[in-house]
Amino acid sequence: MNKPTVNILNYAPKLAKEFDHINRQWIERMFVLEQIDEDVISNPQRHIIDKGGHIWFAEHSELGVIGTCALMKKGKDPFELTKMAVLEKA
C-alpha cells in the first residue's frame, strides 16, 4: 500500500482558482472576508506575484491541492506571511 504524499507546488496561473477557493473557505469559516481579502484572493497574480511575492501550494496525492501560503513583498527586503490556509477536508 502506498502512503499518501504531499508535494509543494509553486504558483502558476492555473492554480489561481485554488488559491481563491482555499483562502475563501478558510477566511469565511474563521474570520470575516474583507474587501482587501477579496481583492488579493481573487487576483493573486496582481497583488502578490507581480509585486515580487511568492505563493506555494500543498498538493496531496489523494486529495489534490489542499493548502496554500503566500509571502507578500512589503519593501526592499521584508516579506509578510499572508493568506495561509488549508481546506477543512485535509
Side-chain angles (χ1 to χ4, degrees), residues 1 5 11-12 14-15 23 37 44 48 59 63 69 80 90:
M1 181 195 285
T5 59
Y11 177 82
K14 68 180 182 179
L15 292 168
N23 279 292
D37 298 314
I48 298 174
E59 181 182 49
L63 301 174
C69 71
E80 174 186 321

Side-chain angles (χ1 to χ4, degrees), residues 1 7-8 11-12 16-17 27 30-31 38 45 51 55 58 61-63 65 67 75 85:
M1 181 195 285
N7 293 310
I8 304 301
Y11 177 82
K17 287 183 182 180
I27 294 167
M30 305 291 290
F31 307 100
E38 182 69 43
Q45 181 74 46
K51 293 182 177 182
I55 301 173
S61 59
E62 296 173 359
L63 301 174
V65 177

Side-chain angles (χ1 to χ4, degrees), residues 22-71:
I22 294 167
N23 279 292
R24 187 174 302 279
Q25 181 186 78
W26 182 269
I27 294 167
E28 289 177 345
R29 183 167 185 265
M30 305 291 290
F31 307 100
V32 173
L33 187 67
E34 298 177 3
Q35 186 60 51
I36 187 64
D37 298 314
E38 182 69 43
D39 294 344
V40 172
I41 67 174
S42 66
N43 195 341
Q45 181 74 46
R46 177 176 172 216
H47 292 281
I48 298 174
I49 300 299
D50 291 349
K51 293 182 177 182
H54 304 280
I55 301 173
W56 296 275
F57 296 86
E59 181 182 49
H60 188 276
S61 59
E62 296 173 359
L63 301 174
V65 177
I66 58 168
T68 185
C69 71
L71 290 178

